Amino acid sequence: MRWRRALGALVAAALLAAAGAGLARSAGGADGQDPVRAVAAGLRCPACEGESVADSRSPIAAAMRQAVADQVAQGRDAEEIRRWFVERYGREVLADAPGPAGPLLWAVPALALLGAGYAALRTLRPRAASAAPVPRREQPAGDGRPAADGTTPTGRGTRRAWQACSVGVVALVASVAVAAGRLDRPGARPEPADPVTVAVGLARDLEEQQRYDAAARMYEEALRDRPDDAIRLRLAFALLRAGDSAGAEESARAVLARAPDSPDGLLVLGLAQRDRRSPEAAATLRRFLALAPQHPAAAEIRRLVAAAG
Amino acid sequence: MLGDLGTASLAAGLLCATLTALLWLRVALFAAPARPARLATAATLGAAAAACALLEAALLGHDFGVTFVAENGGRHVPVYYTVTSLWAALDGSLLLWLLVLAGYAALLARRRRYPARLHAYAMAVVSTLTVFFFALSAFAANPFRPVSPVPADGPGPNPLLQQHPAMGLHPPLLYAGYLGLAVPFAFALAAPLAGPQGRDWLRAARPWALAAWAALTAGIGLGAWWSYAVLGWGGYWAWDPVENASLLPWLTATAFLHTATRRGTGRAGWNLVLACASFVLVLFGTFLTRSGAVSSVHAFTDSPLGPMLLGFVLLAVVAATLLAGRRVPEPPRRAGPAADPGRGAPALSRGTAVLVNGVLLVTIAAVVLIGTVFPLLSGPLGGVRASVGPPYYERTAVPLAVAVLLVMGTLPAVTARAGGLRRLAVPGGVALTTVAAVGLLSRPGAAALTAFGAAAFVLTGVAAELAERLRRDRGTAATGHRRRSPGRFAGLVAHAGIAVVAVGVAGSAAYGRDAERVVRTGETLRVPGASARLVGVDRSADAGTMTVRARLRLTGAGGERTVAPALRYHPGRDATVTVPAIRTGPLRDTYVTLLAVAPDGGSATVRLAVNPLVGLLWAGGALTAAGGLVAAVGVTRPRRRPAAPATSEPVAAETRSEPGPAETRSEPGPAGTRSEPVAGAAG
């Protein structure tokens, strides 16, 4: 029998060693982990309800994933990318930003483990069968102490319990009725990170990378949440650079309808008209020059107008 | 007209419910006859059913003079989703909640074999719950409020809720699970009040807990499948507050089921706390998700009910604390292998194993709870309203869940009469072999690898135990031993289901691959094992929606075919829903999502993913729920036909003076929580 036991021990040792080797191989992290996904999972999507950037289907999240992918392609590591996002959009952009309450995340489960463990240990130790009932200052309602034979005496205590309970049930209904009249529907809570700010920031990044199409889509996204003319002008510029002069003209006209003397609006409109070979282009650009002679783009426009003669 | 009738039915329900609570209280306190109380209970159910029926009629009849219909109905909505839109928003879902709760009350009222006072007190508790929710519905969330002027059409329910047929099953199942836990809660509160009659409250509560647990398991599993099929990112669990709210009571109820047996002598306080905690967590989850306190992708409603729900949660906690403080009379100890009056349970015994797992499950629940409420705490404590993401749960809940699996795997050892540890040799060997083979052939990451090993341990142990029990049956058939309840193998089935879920979770997280980018028409997107070529983009519009489809030629393991993931825009709600195209295979799904389409239709942003082993998730969830259901049936229904000619004794738990194996061994398994990162690799 001894050789059988030895054989068993040998097999067990071999299995343990092999399993250990398998685990050790995996300890370095799984194959095929997508670094973009790993970073995106740690970022909170600003435009959605409690979803991470990795999981959200919103355009903002898609643009943020793209921003992560670009930086991964540039060889930056996860920590650098996270820092980059925090610098731009604040700590709220991180999905895991516990702050000062962080220790709770570990303390509460640890306490639960200790408390439940203690309670479980106590149940394993049999108690004396005749432990005295714990005296309570406040006896809960319905304290109809049964007599020894199991019947209920309708004593004064029982009556009082009955009265207290009926009052309690009616009070429950009354308190709901009273509270219901005083409560309003809650308003929208402030978003953890302002989606418009994030969208505009992302759009600017896209413009810097000369991806004007995507930038324009991001500005449109921001406009849906906040119809702001400054954003609309940026959209018009992005559309112009993306080659969509009709769209740019439309956006610029929408701004000019509200602010007829907006220099940037006139600038985009003029350039868009020029792209479309519209005869009004020169007039629009001259008006722009008259309104904003100090504009950074003014010198360039003067050249254009002069060339067009 | 319908609106007035509906308001009247809610008022009648409130009156009936109040009357019911008071009548049952009279039965409990003065031993009054129970018949009037039973009638009032039935009347309450009638009022709840009438309210639901009237709101359904208003929805189907497009009666836009009713607030709920004006906000959630629409002429363009298909009939099925019109019916299910009853629970597509808070006010209507509260009616379904009431219907289920009143249904449980009526079922519980009909049972006559419980000790009279215990039964009456339990009914008083359930009726009080009904009173509160009727009051909530009538005063604060009346769906029948009139609208003026009456709109001509409505926006329809939330677009996410009219995408998938599971909408008709998932919420009712969850409600059946949540509210079923109210019955064990009621018995737990009634036990200290009922004096000596409260001794056997566990025996009364356990079948209800089993049935509720099975419904809750099925509901959670179905919800996972639904979010996988609809949300478009291929995940089934995101540690979202609403998902967590369903997981919390499931965890504590699982722990309760395992310790709430007659063998649990000495655990009265422990069981009482778990039974109370399960339902308090249901109420708390309702508060969290219905008050808009935490933001969630599932929070289909914002309501003013938060403070009231929170008040009621506190009331329930206070009541439970006060009552649990009184000594619960315990059933007399049986002499037996596991409950020896002189000693505690031996170190290696079923009693110890379920307690260890109970502690672990409670700890997981604490992790999930603090993670869920953290946004509420972090604001006041430190300025920034921060929430915790999946990484936190991966670091905490996942290791605990693997530990739960390992303790589950000791089942063959703790049920053995002798030589327990030796029975773990084969499962242990299989587990180590699995870890070695999988770990040397691929690199799934440490967490997933451990989960594979633990699942193999559990599955092999279950198989060994099954073989052992069948062998023992053959041996005892001749002697007519009482060992043939339908719930006999239920626990093993549920354990196997949990292990299968664990494999699915670990496998899909470790081996899933995805790619996402902009592809032009004719270009191909590739991941290992599949590729998709964009053929073209179509646009179409039909009643109430505008749809953009991308046609892709998908090449993968199952040959070539064309799939068409879509984006569906609902102007009524100004919302866009992704409609992924999923190709289900035996071992893996290919999952294609359309994220965006260029205005000119020449290119589209597409995500292509290969999700291996996700089928195991649904299969395992179904197995687990089936195990729970069989166990519930097994302990509630006396068997009519003896399985063997020699056995003729009924085996229903309630009719036995002593628990047999049906009651002590047919328990649904502990939680292998679906606790891995949903999409994205573990570790």
Side-chain angles (χ1 to χ4, degrees):
Chain A
M1 284 303 107
R2 196 184 304 161
W3 61 269
R4 277 185 66 175
R5 199 170 292 176
L7 189 70
L10 208 67
V11 168
L15 279 178
L16 269 173
L23 267 174
R25 257 191 97 230
S26 266
D31 271 349
Q33 268 194 335
D34 182 359
V36 177
R37 210 199 139 77
V39 176
L43 296 174
R44 187 197 315 258
C45 161
C48 14
E49 293 283 347
E51 283 184 295
S52 79
V53 167
D55 299 334
S56 166
R57 296 292 121 219
S58 81
I60 291 193
M64 285 169 85
R65 278 197 296 275
Q66 190 60 57
V68 174
D70 293 344
Q71 300 194 40
V72 168
Q74 289 162 22
R76 304 175 77 173
D77 69 10
E79 200 42 51
E80 285 175 329
I81 301 172
R82 263 196 289 275
R83 266 206 302 278
W84 181 86
F85 271 99
V86 170
E87 277 164 20
R88 299 177 66 89
Y89 307 118
R91 281 196 67 74
E92 296 85 64
V93 80
L94 294 182
D96 264 336
L104 278 177
L105 289 173
W106 303 96
V108 170
L111 282 175
L113 183 64
L114 290 174
Y118 173 72
L121 274 179
R122 275 192 49 188
T123 64
L124 287 178
R125 220 176 301 132
R127 280 171 291 181
S130 60
V134 185
R136 282 259 152 215
R137 274 182 303 103
E138 240 181 310
Q139 285 290 10
D143 184 26
R145 287 291 172 100
D149 59 353
T151 58
T152 318
T154 47
R156 195 178 293 172
T158 314
R159 286 231 173 76
R160 219 177 286 146
W162 158 249
Q163 285 155 3
C165 283
S166 359
V167 170
V169 170
V170 174
L172 180 70
V173 176
S175 57
V176 171
V178 171
R182 293 162 185 269
L183 293 169
D184 307 325
R185 304 244 156 203
R189 270 194 329 280
E191 299 278 355
D194 177 28
V196 177
T197 318
V198 176
V200 171
L202 286 166
R204 288 181 184 221
D205 297 341
L206 291 166
E207 281 185 318
E208 278 167 26
Q209 299 160 12
Q210 282 150 34
R211 302 212 312 247
Y212 298 114
D213 239 347
R217 270 210 290 282
M218 224 55 245
Y219 283 129
E220 278 163 3
E221 194 59 34
L223 276 177
R224 273 182 36 169
D225 288 336
R226 189 185 304 161
D228 180 76
D229 276 350
I231 300 176
R232 196 175 294 281
L233 279 173
R234 298 204 59 92
L235 168 67
F237 271 114
L239 288 169
L240 189 65
R241 293 190 179 123
D244 178 9
S245 23
E249 184 169 343
E250 191 186 336
S251 295
R253 283 193 191 283
V255 175
L256 289 168
R258 281 184 286 275
D261 291 343
S262 159
D264 284 316
L266 288 166
L267 174 63
V268 180
L269 179 63
L271 290 173
Q273 287 168 336
R274 190 169 163 274
D275 281 352
R276 302 178 64 191
R277 307 265 181 279
S278 160
E280 297 158 20
T284 314
L285 288 174
R286 285 203 187 89
R287 228 184 115 210
F288 158 76
L289 287 173
L291 277 170
Q294 301 303 319
H295 196 282
E300 180 71 10
I301 298 299
R302 277 195 198 93
R303 233 177 18 80
L304 284 179
V305 174
Chain B
M1 173 64 204
L2 280 176
D4 297 340
L5 278 176
T7 307
S9 70
L10 286 179
L14 179 58
L15 272 175
C16 286
T18 312
L19 193 66
T20 308
L22 295 178
L23 282 171
W24 280 113
L25 207 61
R26 282 192 73 84
V27 176
L29 289 171
F30 305 117
R35 195 176 161 72
R38 282 206 179 89
L39 286 174
T41 315
T44 313
L45 175 61
C52 283
L54 285 164
L55 194 53
E56 283 293 9
L59 280 165
L60 289 167
H62 300 306
D63 183 347
F64 293 107
V66 172
T67 304
F68 189 81
V69 183
E71 288 171 356
N72 298 286
R75 294 185 193 281
H76 57 274
V77 183
V79 171
Y80 177 73
Y81 292 111
T82 302
V83 172
T84 60
S85 61
L86 175 72
W87 47 88
L90 174 79
D91 299 2
S93 66
L94 197 54
L95 290 193
L96 178 69
W97 182 269
L98 277 171
L99 180 67
V100 177
L101 181 56
Y104 272 116
L107 274 179
L108 182 62
R110 277 187 47 230
R111 318 275 295 187
R112 288 160 200 256
R113 56 174 177 224
Y114 303 127
R117 298 188 69 221
L118 178 73
H119 183 220
Y121 273 119
M123 278 309 303
V125 174
V126 174
S127 311
T128 310
L129 293 173
T130 320
V131 170
F132 171 74
F133 283 107
F134 256 116
L136 215 54
S137 188
F139 294 122
N142 179 357
F144 296 103
R145 290 186 309 275
V147 186
S148 75
V150 177
D153 197 355
N158 182 310
L160 274 179
L161 303 181
Q162 39 177 322
Q163 278 250 82
H164 200 277
M167 177 64 190
L169 269 179
H170 165 69
L173 269 177
L174 274 183
Y175 283 14
Y178 287 153
L179 291 163
L181 291 174
V183 179
F185 170 76
F187 276 120
L189 291 192
L193 294 172
Q197 292 196 2
R199 257 186 208 149
D200 274 349
W201 74 273
L202 275 181
R203 187 189 280 192
R206 194 158 180 277
W208 298 91
L210 269 171
W213 184 90
L216 192 54
T217 308
I220 293 174
L222 197 61
W225 177 56
W226 184 8
S227 74
Y228 177 78
V230 163
L231 285 180
W233 45 276
Y236 44 82
W237 190 263
W239 297 105
D240 175 273
V242 174
E243 291 169 345
N244 291 351
S246 69
L247 185 63
L248 284 168
W250 188 89
L251 290 166
T252 49
T254 308
F256 173 72
L257 286 179
H258 283 78
T259 52
T261 57
R262 281 278 306 246
R263 290 190 178 191
T265 317
R267 296 190 205 134
W270 168 272
N271 284 325
L272 199 92
V273 170
L274 279 180
C276 291
S278 298
F279 189 66
V280 166
L281 284 170
V282 167
L283 290 175
F284 187 68
T286 312
F287 154 72
L288 269 184
T289 53
R290 296 306 193 191
S291 64
V294 287
S295 57
S296 151
V297 69
H298 293 74
F300 297 113
T301 179
D302 246 4
S303 80
L305 306 187
M308 285 186 267
L309 283 165
L310 190 59
F312 195 65
V313 172
L314 292 175
L315 190 70
V317 171
V318 168
T321 315
L322 284 179
L323 289 172
R326 309 179 64 172
R327 278 292 307 248
V328 187
E330 292 210 9
R333 286 177 179 279
R334 299 185 309 119
D340 187 333
R343 280 199 330 257
L348 184 75
S349 71
R350 187 186 171 285
T352 323
V354 295
L355 272 177
V356 170
N357 253 359
V359 173
L360 289 171
L361 288 167
V362 167
T363 313
I364 296 178
V367 165
V368 177
L369 182 65
I370 186 68
T372 310
V373 301
F374 191 72
L376 301 181
L377 302 175
S378 68
L381 289 176
V384 183
R385 198 185 148 88
S387 64
V388 295
Y392 165 71
Y393 298 104
E394 283 156 33
R395 284 194 302 269
T396 47
V398 171
L400 285 166
V402 172
V404 168
L405 275 176
L406 288 171
V407 179
M408 261 171 80
T410 60
L411 175 122
V414 299
T415 52
R417 303 253 159 82
L421 270 178
R422 205 170 306 154
R423 299 191 59 199
L424 292 181
V426 173
V430 172
L432 289 175
T433 313
T434 307
V435 171
V438 175
L440 294 173
L441 293 174
S442 69
R443 291 176 55 161
L449 196 53
T450 328
F452 286 141
F457 186 54
V458 174
L459 286 169
T460 322
V462 164
E465 179 70 15
L466 198 64
E468 168 72 13
R469 285 190 196 178
L470 288 170
R471 202 175 52 75
R472 216 185 294 152
D473 278 355
R474 272 206 304 280
T476 54
T479 57
H481 202 284
R482 187 184 54 215
R483 184 137 311 206
R484 302 206 162 269
S485 79
R488 194 163 41 130
F489 297 131
L492 295 179
V493 170
H495 275 217
I498 293 286
V500 169
V501 167
V503 174
V505 169
S508 60
Y511 300 119
R513 298 286 176 266
D514 67 313
E516 171 191 325
R517 66 183 175 86
V518 182
V519 283
R520 290 199 183 78
T521 309
E523 282 186 345
T524 303
L525 179 64
R526 284 192 175 79
V527 292
S531 66
R533 183 167 52 84
L534 182 62
V535 178
V537 174
D538 317 324
R539 291 169 198 273
S540 61
D542 59 354
T545 59
M546 288 180 252
T547 309
V548 187
R549 273 176 210 294
R551 277 173 296 113
L552 294 130
R553 198 81 188 131
L554 189 64
T555 317
E560 250 195 71
R561 57 183 277 194
T562 302
V563 294
L567 283 168
R568 200 172 286 155
Y569 177 66
H570 293 251
R573 295 243 172 210
D574 187 26
T576 305
V577 181
T578 48
V579 186
I582 307 171
R583 241 179 99 190
T584 308
L587 282 179
R588 46 185 221 168
D589 286 6
T590 317
Y591 193 103
V592 192
T593 321
L594 177 62
L595 300 175
V597 171
D600 61 356
S603 69
T605 314
V606 179
R607 178 175 179 273
L608 171 65
V610 172
N611 302 327
L613 303 179
V614 272
L616 292 182
L617 280 165
W618 329 135
L623 265 183
T624 313
L629 191 67
V630 171
V633 171
V635 295
T636 47
R637 181 164 305 166
R639 219 168 28 80
R640 297 264 174 263
R641 284 166 319 177
T647 61
S648 56
E649 225 173 313
V651 289
E654 281 78 5
T655 57
R656 275 197 312 245
S657 58
E658 216 180 63
E663 197 180 343
T664 54
R665 295 214 187 123
S666 61
E667 274 134 40
T673 49
R674 295 182 287 143
S675 56
E676 218 109 313
V678 255

